[in-house]
Amino acid sequence: MTEVSVRFFGGPLDGRVQALGDAEPVSGSVMRHVHLHDGPKIETRYRLGYTSENGWEYRLCGLATPEVDEV
């Protein structure tokens, strides 16, 4: 079996390429990355997708904006 790799776009993992492993890639799945070194916990999320130009890629998910009640 050939090894399938994925590239990260955006956030702290931008430009990283890594193997997807033995699991079958599922487009739309979300991976969470937590950075705990030298400061506060920083959590980023990446959504897996496939493009004909880049193959498998993780794109940084946008931050969810909490809804604010209007006064």
Side-chain angles (χ1 to χ4, degrees):
M1 179 177 195
T2 60
E3 185 173 289
V4 177
S5 61
V6 62
R7 182 179 171 125
F8 288 83
F9 291 89
L13 300 180
D14 188 45
R16 181 178 290 184
V17 177
Q18 71 181 41
L20 275 176
D22 295 333
E24 185 70 25
V26 178
S27 187
S29 62
V30 175
M31 189 224 24
R32 182 176 73 145
H33 173 262
V34 179
H35 179 82
L36 298 172
H37 306 288
D38 300 327
K41 175 177 136 179
I42 300 171
E43 182 177 316
T44 51
R45 295 175 192 259
Y46 293 87
R47 184 171 310 277
L48 183 63
Y50 185 84
T51 65
S52 58
E53 298 85 30
N54 298 316
W56 287 104
E57 59 184 33
Y58 272 116
R59 292 272 177 183
L60 183 66
C61 294
L63 296 174
T65 306
E67 292 183 25
V68 178
D69 292 335
E70 291 185 27
V71 179

